[in-house]
């Protein structure tokens, strides 16, 4: 169920500034280029090794298992694109965009420019039904108002969305590819491009190269039938992994409206939840498990988020701001409970 928002916080405006001073004094906003160079190299090596295994296994049905490995490698590459989009790696835009374009468009077939535009809008107004594209009405609905507005198959889906949530994530990879293509070519009725993008031509070229290399590489190594199975397993599990990495962060948390008039600190903290766990969870979820700290300081290097956690948590306790942190399974339970509750008026 959605929790209640914090009403009438006693201190406004200066709360975030004070927290920011503490975080900056601890040196946690300083870039870590050396650490990221190692991370980029190791992730690229993992991704390359996964493709090497594809070649070694050859024309075999064992490629279905290799496709699962490739889904993990692809998601880890996508996490690098996420960090680059927030300029966690470099202060300058150029190197950040280069990593983002190579990781997103070329490696995994995801438009970096589309994702940055969408993700920035999410960060500006997290869990706001009218402003956050991640909780806008779509295949899933996040508010009872969205549920009541559904018709036909969408209404049937909304009634059962909690049960169908994880199976539907198997289509998320396909959705990301289609959305990327639409963002690059989609135009408004007046001819303007619908999605702002700095390097549209480069993005289109890299997506085309990705498609040719991906499809061509699979068909060179295995029969068309096995290639189709590989692609289905890879893309399905990649979408599932991506969805399972982002779903615990906001789903089932408060959904503020304009009437709530929250300051920046509260808007970011009460709409997010952290997922408990050690370094293994950090690696598996790309640091997104430390969602509160990430939303408060989006350009903080991933490796510093865990160090920022005790500072942020203590500060929230001082200010009486709810700081939610649960286990991974509980985070999914809360997200599914919210989806189930939203669909209740239709059942």
């Amino acid at each position: 169920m959605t929790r209640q928002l914090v009403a009438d916080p006693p201190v406004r405006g200066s709360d975030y500034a004070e927290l920011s001073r503490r975080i900056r004094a601890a040196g946690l906003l300083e870039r870590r280029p050396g650490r990221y160079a190692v991370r980029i190299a190791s992730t690229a090596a993992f991704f390359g090794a996964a493709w090497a295994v594809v070649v070694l296994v050859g024309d075999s049905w064992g490629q279905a298992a290799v496709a699962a490995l490739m889904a993990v490698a692809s998601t880890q590459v996508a996490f690098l694109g996420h960090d680059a989009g927030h300029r966690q790696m470099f202060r300058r835009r150029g190197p950040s965009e280069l990593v983002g374009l190579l990781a997103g468009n070329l490696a995994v077939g995801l438009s970096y420019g589309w994702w940055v535009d969408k993700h920035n809008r999410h960060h500006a107004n997290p869990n706001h039904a009218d402003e956050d594209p991640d909780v806008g009405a779509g295949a899933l609905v996040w508010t009872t108002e969205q549920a009541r507005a559904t018709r036909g198959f969408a209404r049937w889906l909304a009634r059962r969305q909690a049960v169908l949530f994880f199976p539907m994530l198997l289509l998320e990879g396909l959705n990301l590819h289609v959305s990327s293509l639409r963002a690059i070519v989609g135009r408004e009725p007046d001819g303007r491009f619908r999605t702002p993008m700095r390097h549209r031509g480069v993005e289109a070229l890299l997506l085309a190269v990705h498609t040719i290399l991906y499809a061509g590489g699979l068909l060179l190594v295995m029969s068309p039938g096995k290639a189709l199975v590989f692609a289905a397993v890879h893309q399905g599990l990649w979408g599932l992994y991506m969805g399972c990495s982002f779903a615990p962060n906001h789903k089932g948390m408060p959904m503020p409206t304009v009437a709530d008039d929250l300051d920046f600190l509260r808007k970011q903290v009460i709409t997010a939840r952290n997922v408990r766990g050690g370094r293994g969870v950090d690696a598996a979820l790309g640091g997104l498990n430390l969602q509160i700290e990430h939303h408060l300081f989006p350009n903080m290097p991933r490796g510093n988020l865990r160090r920022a956690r005790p500072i942020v948590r203590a500060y929230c306790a001082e200010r009486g701001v709810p700081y939610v942190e649960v286990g991974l399974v509980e985070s999914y339970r809360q997200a599914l409970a919210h989806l189930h509750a939203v669909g209740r008026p239709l059942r």
Side-chain angles (χ1 to χ4, degrees):
M1 291 294 291
T2 302
R3 295 176 179 81
Q4 293 297 313
L5 298 173
V6 178
D8 300 322
V11 182
R12 295 278 182 156
S14 62
D15 283 1
Y16 178 74
E18 172 58 27
L19 175 60
S20 183
R21 282 192 289 270
R22 296 185 189 185
I23 291 293
R24 195 174 296 278
L28 297 178
L29 294 181
E30 296 176 5
R31 301 302 193 280
R32 305 173 68 176
R35 184 67 63 88
Y36 262 115
V38 172
R39 189 185 299 278
I40 291 171
S42 60
T43 303
F46 178 29
F47 188 66
W51 277 110
V53 174
V54 171
V55 175
L56 289 173
V57 172
D59 190 23
S60 165
W61 288 111
Q63 291 286 10
V66 182
L69 174 68
M70 185 65 72
V72 176
S74 298
T75 305
Q76 290 296 320
V77 172
F79 287 154
L80 288 180
H82 171 269
D83 293 0
H86 284 295
R87 295 200 203 176
Q88 296 176 12
M89 302 174 179
F90 317 106
R91 289 189 182 278
R92 294 176 54 221
R93 171 181 285 174
S96 298
E97 290 186 339
L98 177 61
V99 172
L101 289 168
L102 293 177
N105 294 64
L106 182 60
V108 300
L110 171 66
S111 168
Y112 174 73
W114 164 74
W115 178 84
V116 167
D117 173 70
K118 175 177 177 288
H119 199 59
N120 283 344
R121 287 186 283 128
H122 158 69
H123 268 262
N125 292 284
N127 260 21
H128 191 296
D130 296 324
E131 304 291 342
D132 182 356
D134 289 352
V135 292
L140 298 170
V141 291
W142 305 102
T143 67
T144 53
E145 291 77 16
Q146 291 175 354
R148 291 191 177 100
T150 57
R151 297 291 183 273
F153 178 70
R155 176 164 287 232
W156 181 91
L157 199 63
R159 291 193 194 103
R160 301 163 177 82
Q161 60 180 5
V163 175
L164 297 174
F165 177 69
F166 287 110
M168 288 173 66
L169 287 181
L170 294 170
L171 298 175
E172 178 62 15
L174 177 61
N175 175 58
L176 292 172
H177 293 311
V178 172
S179 296
S180 296
L181 180 61
R182 285 178 174 173
I184 287 176
V185 303
R187 293 177 181 268
E188 300 288 357
D190 61 4
R192 292 181 295 110
F193 284 108
R194 188 173 294 114
T195 303
M197 205 173 291
R198 283 173 53 82
H199 307 289
R200 192 176 304 275
V202 173
E203 292 217 24
L205 176 62
L206 289 177
L207 283 181
V209 171
H210 165 82
T211 303
I212 293 170
L213 291 178
Y214 183 83
L218 293 183
L219 291 173
L220 282 174
V221 172
M222 62 193 84
S223 66
K226 293 184 181 72
L228 184 62
V229 170
F230 180 97
V233 174
H234 173 213
Q235 297 300 323
L237 293 182
W238 176 56
L240 179 65
Y241 189 177
M242 290 281 282
C244 287
S245 299
F246 284 87
N249 305 333
H250 300 279
K251 309 315 179 190
M253 296 301 289
M255 300 185 66
T257 65
V258 175
D260 292 300
D261 190 28
L262 299 172
D263 68 313
F264 182 80
L265 176 74
R266 289 162 179 81
K267 178 167 65 173
Q268 300 298 336
V269 173
I270 68 174
T271 60
R273 72 162 69 83
N274 280 4
V275 175
R276 295 193 189 100
R279 300 288 179 180
V281 175
D282 291 356
L285 299 182
L288 298 174
N289 50 304
L290 297 163
Q291 190 70 189
I292 295 173
E293 288 71 26
H294 171 57
H295 258 258
L296 288 169
F297 303 99
N299 62 349
M300 179 182 289
R302 190 197 307 182
N304 289 349
L305 293 171
R306 183 162 292 277
R307 296 166 58 198
R309 174 181 167 273
I311 299 174
V312 173
R313 185 170 185 171
Y315 187 79
C316 287
E318 288 178 22
R319 294 295 188 269
V321 179
Y323 181 102
V324 177
E325 190 172 61
V326 301
L328 183 61
V329 173
E330 174 61 15
S331 72
Y332 292 136
R333 189 201 67 76
Q334 292 182 11
L336 293 177
H338 175 75
L339 289 173
H340 185 71
V342 167
R344 183 174 295 123
L346 307 182
R347 293 192 292 273

